[in-house]
């Protein structure tokens, strides 16, 4: 990269516009809208401790988990941006039990739908640990009228763009439109996302595994055996591997994509289908992983080929470096459930 030239996100997506699979300026504008909403959410997160916005909002979300105020705030900000932008005709959000049609004003003719987790890792908000926003963009299947379930129940292979924002020690936006992955860091002095990680590549090997080991006794046999493999001493393969688990999917995923590693949230006794949601957690990060050369599966099959049946559907999730996933799969196959 030419160190003398700062490339902002807006410059970058305008320059890339001709490469977008569906042309038009809509996707360009949409990504800009997401970046602006992300900056607003970022500002709020940074000020959270100061303005006493932290804490429970006193409601349960559709998964029965307690909702923090910032989750709601982020949800509202992104939906407001989509309404104003007009490119999106409907939203599925982790925070909303049902899909939200945006059939007013500009949005009634929007060609895209979006699925999002507006603030992932919400249990980390109160303790100043990285959180993120995850999104997937699809072309709507129905062409007119209110969006329908079928517009959202599309396989991950149909994504036209996906990305995440990470609100961490710095704030980043990472996205793909199916032509590689690029990362932009927010320069707070400019107020702009600047290209900082061009053409991100998922290392083929890694020495980090990320899993909530507290659930060990509930894990499938293959996962238990794989964890033991990661912990064994074998200098030839750089084992034992390091264990890193933040408990914010975006942060764990981002670290592994940069350094190499594997993230696993398997099915457990308490979460028989896994914990993570296919439409707005697993698929977008699977698209990014694959575009960077990584792999994302449910322990066997490619995540992006799973047929969604419900908007809040959960799946077991394995995402990581190609060669690490391969070994994990071998263990899953060799040690099935009795
Ligand atoms: P959330 O969307 O309610 O924040 O839940 C998703 C989060 C992920 O960010 C994280 O990887 C996972 O849940 C952590 O779950 P656990 O605390 O069970 O390890
Ligand atoms: Mg989440």
């Amino acid at each position: 990269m030419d160190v003398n030239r700062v490339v902002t996100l807006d410059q970058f997506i305008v320059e890339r516009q001709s490469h977008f699979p569906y042309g038009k300026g809509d996707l360009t504008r949409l990504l800009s809208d997401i970046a602006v909403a992300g900056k607003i959410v970022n500002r709020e997160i940074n000020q959270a401790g100061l303005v006493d916005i932290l804490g429970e909002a006193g409601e349960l979300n559709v998964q029965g988990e307690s909702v923090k105020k910032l989750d709601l705030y982020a949800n509202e900000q992104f939906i407001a941006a989509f309404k104003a932008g007009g490119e999106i005709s409907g939203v599925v959000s982790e925070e909303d039990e049902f899909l939200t049609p945006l059939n007013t004003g500009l949005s009634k003719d929007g060609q895209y739908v979006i699925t999002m987790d507006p603030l992932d890792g919400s249990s980390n908000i109160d303790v100043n640990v990285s959180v993120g926003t995850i999104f997937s963009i699809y072309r709507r299947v129905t062409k007119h009228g209110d969006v329908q379930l079928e517009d959202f129940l599309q396989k991950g292979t149909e994504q036209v763009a996906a990305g995440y924002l990470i609100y961490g020690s710095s704030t980043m936006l990472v996205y793909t439109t199916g032509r590689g992955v690029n990362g932009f860091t927010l320069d707070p002095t400019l107020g702009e996302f600047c290209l900082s990680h061009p053409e991100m590549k998922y290392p083929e090997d890694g020495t980090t595994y990320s899993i909530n080991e507290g659930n060990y006794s509930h894990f499938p046999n293959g996962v238990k055996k794989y964890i033991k493999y990661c912990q064994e001493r074998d200098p030839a393969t750089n084992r034992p591997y390091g264990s890193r688990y933040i408990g914010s999917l975006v942060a764990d995923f981002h670290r592994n994509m940069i350094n190499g590693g594997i993230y696993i949230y398997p099915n457990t006794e308490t979460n028989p289908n896994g914990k993570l949601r296919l439409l707005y957690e697993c698929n977008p990060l699977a698209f990014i992983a694959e575009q960077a050369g990584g792999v994302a599966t449910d322990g066997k099959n490619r995540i992006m080929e799973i047929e969604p049946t419900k908007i809040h559907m959960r799946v077991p999730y394995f995402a990581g470096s190609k060669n690490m996933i391969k070994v994990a799969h071998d263990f899953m196959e060799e040690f099935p459930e009795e």
Side-chain angles (χ1 to χ4, degrees):
M1 190 174 53
D2 178 355
V3 288
N4 294 317
R5 187 179 170 226
V6 173
V7 178
T8 68
L9 175 67
D10 285 340
Q11 289 167 339
F12 184 86
I13 53 187
V14 166
E15 282 167 19
R16 287 277 173 121
Q17 188 178 326
S18 58
H19 301 304
F20 283 161
Y22 297 102
K24 311 257 169 66
D26 291 17
L27 201 49
T28 310
R29 278 197 300 276
L30 177 52
L31 288 167
S32 293
D33 292 346
I34 290 171
V36 172
K39 285 184 214 172
I40 294 170
V41 170
N42 180 59
R43 185 186 60 193
E44 210 61 27
I45 289 171
N46 286 336
Q47 292 180 347
L50 300 170
V51 297
D52 198 30
I53 200 170
L54 288 180
E56 312 285 325
E59 293 178 32
L60 297 181
N61 73 10
V62 291
Q63 271 80 32
E65 300 152 340
S66 62
V67 172
K68 313 281 167 128
K69 284 178 185 169
L70 276 170
D71 303 44
L72 296 175
Y73 181 83
N75 198 35
E76 284 164 12
Q77 285 300 322
F78 281 103
I79 289 178
F82 303 143
K83 266 188 190 155
E87 299 87 18
I88 293 289
S89 53
V91 183
V92 156
S93 165
E94 179 178 339
E95 296 301 332
D96 297 312
E97 183 174 1
F98 303 108
L99 64 88
T100 308
L102 301 183
N103 52 357
T104 52
L106 289 171
S107 292
K108 72 179 189 317
D109 295 322
Q111 338 173 27
Y112 298 101
V113 295
I114 196 159
T115 62
M116 68 168 175
D117 185 349
L119 208 57
D120 181 64
S122 40
S123 65
N124 280 325
I125 294 171
D126 283 347
V127 290
N128 224 338
V129 171
S130 300
V131 289
T133 297
I134 316 174
F135 62 89
S136 256
I137 299 167
Y138 295 83
R139 281 177 81 78
R140 66 179 291 189
V141 177
T142 57
K143 296 294 171 209
H144 308 288
D146 279 3
V147 283
Q148 305 293 326
L149 267 182
E150 65 188 282
D151 291 313
F152 297 93
L153 298 181
Q154 301 191 52
K155 289 201 267 191
T157 48
E158 301 301 314
Q159 293 172 97
V160 293
Y164 61 82
L165 286 122
I166 178 167
Y167 313 101
S169 48
S170 58
T171 299
M172 282 191 71
L173 188 153
V174 174
Y175 81 93
T176 184
T177 55
R179 294 175 56 92
V181 179
N182 290 284
F184 300 80
T185 301
L186 182 63
D187 181 333
T189 61
L190 296 176
E192 296 275 6
F193 283 102
C194 301
L195 182 63
S196 53
H197 295 63
E199 297 299 329
M200 295 177 81
K201 295 281 175 254
Y202 216 124
E204 289 192 356
D205 292 290
T207 54
T208 301
Y209 70 102
S210 314
I211 188 166
N212 185 343
E213 272 181 86
N215 294 330
Y216 185 88
S217 63
H218 300 278
F219 288 158
N221 290 331
V223 172
K224 285 182 179 164
K225 298 282 186 195
Y226 179 66
I227 291 174
K228 288 294 163 215
Y229 165 87
C230 292
Q231 295 170 344
E232 273 164 20
R233 199 182 152 130
D234 178 35
T237 51
N238 288 320
R239 285 180 292 146
Y241 296 155
S243 165
R244 294 283 183 280
Y245 190 73
I246 295 170
S248 269
L249 175 62
V250 171
D252 281 309
F253 177 90
H254 184 71
R255 183 203 52 245
N256 288 349
M257 182 162 71
I258 289 178
N259 294 341
I262 186 169
Y263 175 97
I264 305 178
Y265 209 114
N267 50 308
T268 63
E269 275 167 38
T270 36
N271 290 309
N273 300 316
K275 179 186 179 194
L276 300 178
R277 274 57 61 123
L278 176 63
L279 259 55
Y280 42 80
E281 292 176 324
C282 302
N283 266 334
L285 298 183
F287 193 19
I288 288 178
E290 288 193 8
Q291 284 294 315
V295 179
T297 73
D298 63 358
K300 188 174 179 193
N301 301 307
R302 189 179 173 211
I303 285 291
M304 291 209 291
E305 285 175 16
I306 296 174
E307 194 81 58
T309 51
K310 290 188 292 198
I311 58 175
H312 295 294
M313 177 176 175
R314 298 171 193 263
V315 287
Y317 199 49
F318 292 57
S321 294
K322 198 162 90 182
N323 295 335
M324 295 183 87
I325 294 275
K326 188 179 173 315
V327 175
H329 280 188
D330 290 345
F331 278 98
M332 295 301 285
E333 208 178 312
E334 196 181 336
F335 300 100
E337 299 311 285
E338 281 94 39

